[in-house]
Amino acid sequence: MMFYLRDWILSSKRRASEPCILPEQVNAIAQSPPSTARKEDLPFIRCQVCQKIAEELLGLVQKKQSQISPKKISELQIIEIAENVCNLKKEESDWILRIDTVEKGDTLELVDQGTEGQCYSECKTIERACQEVMGYSDTDVAEYIFKSGPSIDSLIKYLCGDLTKACSVKVPPVPKDRIPGEPFVAKSSKDAEMEKILRSMEGKVLRERESAKGDWKVKILEGVKQSGAAIRKHVDKVSHRTQTWWGRKKTGAKASKAGKAEL
């Protein structure tokens, strides 16, 4: 798939005003080694991540509302935002790419750098913490936002205190022998654009696959219905024949008994 995307991007005609994307940029993104989350850091950042989630959710909901105004944003649209806010493959999670994890004494502080950075282990750790905080709470928090229209403080209290308990546990001190994370490396505008294109294409492919699955499901269900109808028709025919045969047999038996009685 990655080679298909690379060929598509390189062969497509781009407007002169758009920046040129070089083959080495595509290869660099396609061949970047995967980074894994630092699970040992999760307890130190879970509460802060939850607070960031609340801030981003409200911001994304307000942004969506301004895009569709005067129509009111639906609860389903808010649920979709809440489902995607912790998934780095989705646009709603771009906030994760701006965060740098900084050691300050015996604590870890999440610092918004104001620009997207390369996603290594710290980035994956924030995504993992985000997913653990949200868990199955996306529907509940979406309903709360839709019905209450809360302020940021009340949403943090609800999400991080009442709903997930992410900030209800005292944050432990960071061990002195903790291995520092990688430095924050800002992306170039071309890299950021390239990743957005790849993510957009991946989303398109996934939507097409889901659509294809849906078509197959419809075909299978239709086939099952047709098979069921054919079976019922066959059973009805056999049943009718059996009933007719049995009726004739009973009639013949009665006639035979009547003949014997006359004799």
Side-chain angles (χ1 to χ4, degrees):
M1 174 180 171
M2 196 60 70
F3 290 106
Y4 164 76
L5 292 178
R6 181 179 61 192
D7 294 339
W8 175 84
I9 293 167
L10 297 177
S11 63
S12 62
K13 294 181 179 179
R14 303 181 61 82
R15 296 189 301 272
S17 58
E18 293 180 331
C20 177
I21 299 175
L22 302 176
E24 53 267 27
Q25 292 177 298
V26 182
N27 290 330
I29 294 173
Q31 298 173 6
S32 294
S35 300
T36 57
R38 299 176 54 155
K39 296 180 181 179
E40 65 275 12
D41 282 354
L42 295 177
F44 312 127
I45 64 172
R46 188 173 284 114
C47 177
Q48 293 180 73
V49 167
C50 185
Q51 294 169 348
K52 290 286 185 182
I53 294 171
E55 293 174 4
E56 290 300 320
L57 282 176
L58 277 191
L60 289 168
V61 168
Q62 292 168 0
K63 179 181 178 181
K64 184 66 176 181
Q65 179 60 72
S66 66
Q67 290 174 344
I68 64 174
S69 181
K71 185 178 179 181
K72 188 179 186 299
I73 189 171
S74 68
E75 186 173 355
L76 187 61
Q77 288 172 314
I78 301 177
I79 290 175
E80 184 177 4
I81 291 172
E83 287 177 342
N84 294 338
V85 76
C86 296
N87 185 349
L88 281 168
K89 294 182 179 180
K90 303 293 184 179
E91 184 179 353
E92 291 85 350
S93 70
D94 283 353
W95 64 276
I96 296 176
L97 300 172
R98 302 193 308 266
I99 304 299
D100 185 24
T101 305
V102 180
E103 271 197 41
K104 289 197 174 181
D106 62 353
T107 65
L108 291 183
E109 183 176 340
L110 302 185
V111 180
D112 193 327
Q113 298 294 323
T115 186
E116 291 185 10
Q118 300 292 342
C119 187
Y120 302 125
S121 64
E122 290 187 354
C123 167
K124 292 292 186 179
T125 304
I126 296 171
E127 180 191 37
R128 176 67 175 269
C130 185
Q131 292 171 349
E132 289 191 1
V133 166
M134 286 296 283
Y136 297 102
S137 301
D138 45 18
T139 303
D140 293 327
V141 72
E143 180 183 8
Y144 180 76
I145 294 173
F146 179 74
K147 292 183 177 180
S148 305
S151 65
I152 183 60
D153 290 337
S154 58
L155 181 57
I156 288 176
K157 181 179 182 300
Y158 173 75
L159 176 62
C160 306
D162 303 334
L163 189 60
T164 67
K165 313 295 183 185
C167 293
S168 299
V169 179
K170 185 178 179 181
V171 181
V174 176
K176 294 182 180 180
D177 60 350
R178 175 185 178 269
I179 299 174
E182 66 275 351
F184 184 87
V185 180
K187 290 180 186 174
S188 68
S189 58
K190 289 183 179 180
D191 284 345
E193 181 189 8
M194 184 70 254
E195 289 194 6
K196 289 183 185 298
I197 292 173
L198 292 175
R199 185 169 55 192
S200 175
M201 288 300 299
E202 183 179 359
K204 182 179 179 181
V205 171
L206 289 175
R207 287 193 297 272
E208 289 176 351
R209 286 180 178 175
E210 289 300 319
S211 177
K213 288 180 182 178
D215 292 341
W216 275 108
K217 287 179 182 178
V218 171
K219 291 179 181 179
I220 291 172
L221 288 174
E222 187 62 30
V224 170
K225 288 180 181 179
Q226 291 177 0
S227 298
I231 292 171
R232 284 195 297 272
K233 185 177 180 180
H234 179 70
V235 170
D236 290 343
K237 182 184 287 188
V238 172
S239 177
H240 177 71
R241 287 179 178 176
T242 302
Q243 289 176 0
T244 301
W245 173 81
W246 183 248
R248 289 174 180 173
K249 186 175 181 181
K250 289 176 68 176
T251 302
K254 288 181 180 179
S256 178
K257 287 182 180 180
K260 290 181 179 179
E262 290 176 359
L263 292 174

